[in-house]
Amino acid sequence: ELLLEHGLTLARDQEFLAEETLQLFLRQYPRHARAGEARLAMAELEFRALQASANPARRQEAAQHALQYLQVANTEAKTPDTAAHADYLGMFLADKDGGGNDREVIRRGEEFLRTHKQSPLIPEVRMKLGEVYFRVEDFANAETQFGTLAEEDPASPYAEKALFLAGQSAMRLGMNENALDRALGYFDRVVKRDGPLKLYARQEQAIAQSRVGRANEAIALYDIILSSEPGPDPELRFASLCGKADNLVALGRTEKTHLEEAIEVFDQLAGSPNVTPVWRNQALYKKGKTLVQLGRTTDALAAYYDVLQKSSASEREHFWASKAGFDAASILEQQSQWKAAIGIYSKVVALGGPRAPEAEARVKQIRLEHFVWD
């Protein structure tokens, strides 16, 4: 008993000698009434090793060992707690490949909730079940699991994340009024918890408002994020600047002054310290599109050209750079500036990426159709 308890304590604390101690117990007392607990603990140690390793061979070995220990443990006497732990571990092992056995994970998770109604492991099971439902795009059941977890155990370390994911699940059910209200409610509860997901919940609220055409409300939420203390992390700041500018563009459909405001925000994003190529190029490209709406074609060409000038093949940002190149070249073709258009397409070719062959083909076509060979 002392040897087993020592091994179980070491396993709970993830101590180095846990496996050796439990194996010693099983070798010396293989028919002990509590041998199943030791094997269950060994199964969990192997499962932890599986999670910690990036080596495919080691992961496969750990999974096999965990399943073997669990299979034997399930044939031995169990207390209600160890039975729940065995079913819990079986569910997580069924998801060891991260999506290869979703139906089995769901079956085991639902069975666990029916069978072990008082288990302290329920929050973890609901979280995993909600994640798998979300992964298979069953957003209604995902929302149910995440929302129930937060209601049943608001003090759980999973509660904030569960509320956030419940909101995301509701948003994916469609932007009808009921789904939107539920989503905004979940995110508001995240904000009130004042935890690490607070500003991300504000971002989700802004996205939801934007999707239903409430651009002013979205902009107000982005301003809350951008003015927060301490400020958002760089990626969230970049996303918030872009989201604010996008909504200003939406308002600009009826009031042109908002388009000028949007251009200022796009410039702010593009010039941000340590801005990534993706956000920089997106900001400059969208600035160009906004300038086109204002009828400032020459300025739009300059913005598109700025994208190409600041890009390089080593950055591997092709999406926005290619869009800028093709939009600029299209304007030049409309103006019959064939050499200039060829120059732009040639820059897209030099940057590489999925659209480089298309740009190269366009160069050849322009040369053939308009006899441009120098």
Side-chain angles (χ1 to χ4, degrees), residues 85-146:
H85 204 90
D87 290 344
Y88 158 89
L89 192 55
M91 175 192 178
F92 277 77
L93 281 169
D95 194 43
K96 64 183 184 299
D97 298 321
N101 202 10
D102 292 325
R103 288 185 180 180
E104 180 63 12
V105 179
I106 290 171
R107 184 192 70 79
R108 286 175 177 267
E110 295 288 4
E111 179 65 23
F112 184 99
L113 296 176
R114 286 192 295 269
T115 306
H116 308 291
K117 296 182 179 180
Q118 304 303 317
S119 173
L121 297 170
I122 282 178
E124 288 184 67
V125 171
R126 285 201 185 278
M127 180 60 73
K128 170 60 72 174
L129 196 51
E131 288 171 350
V132 176
Y133 274 129
F134 195 97
R135 188 165 66 208
V136 300
E137 299 185 2
D138 185 346
F139 300 119
N141 275 318
E143 181 189 349
T144 297
Q145 294 302 328
F146 293 134

Side-chain angles (χ1 to χ4, degrees), residues 6 114 211 214 218 252:
H6 181 51
R114 286 192 295 269
R211 286 181 182 175
R214 301 173 186 169

Side-chain angles (χ1 to χ4, degrees), residues 44 60 69 90 93 111 122 129 132 146 254 315 322 337-338 340 347 363:
E44 181 149 10
Q60 183 176 4
Y69 280 120
L93 281 169
E111 179 65 23
I122 282 178
L129 196 51
V132 176
F146 293 134
T254 55
E315 288 181 341
S322 294
Q337 297 187 46
W338 311 118
K347 287 184 177 293
V363 169

Side-chain angles (χ1 to χ4, degrees), residues 78-85 116:
K78 295 191 286 291
T79 65
D81 285 345
T82 56
H85 204 90
H116 308 291

Side-chain angles (χ1 to χ4, degrees), residues 277-278 281-282 307 311-313 315-322 351:
V278 171
N281 289 353
Q282 181 178 176
V307 176
S311 298
S312 66
E315 288 181 341
R316 302 184 66 81
E317 196 298 293
H318 302 300
F319 181 80
W320 296 106
S322 294
L351 290 174

Side-chain angles (χ1 to χ4, degrees), residues 198-208 222 225 236 239-240:
K198 174 182 177 178
L199 294 182
Y200 292 95
R202 287 296 193 199
Q203 181 190 27
E204 293 293 330
Q205 287 178 319
I207 291 170
Y222 283 125
I225 296 170
L236 180 55
S240 298

Side-chain angles (χ1 to χ4, degrees), residues 322-338:
S322 294
K323 285 178 73 68
F326 273 83
D327 280 25
S330 177
I331 291 173
L332 292 168
E333 287 190 62
Q334 291 170 23
Q335 297 174 350
S336 300
Q337 297 187 46
W338 311 118

Side-chain angles (χ1 to χ4, degrees), residues 123 149-160 163 193:
L149 189 165
E151 290 293 335
E152 290 182 345
D153 197 353
S156 165
Y158 299 102
E160 182 183 17
L163 284 169
R193 294 175 72 94

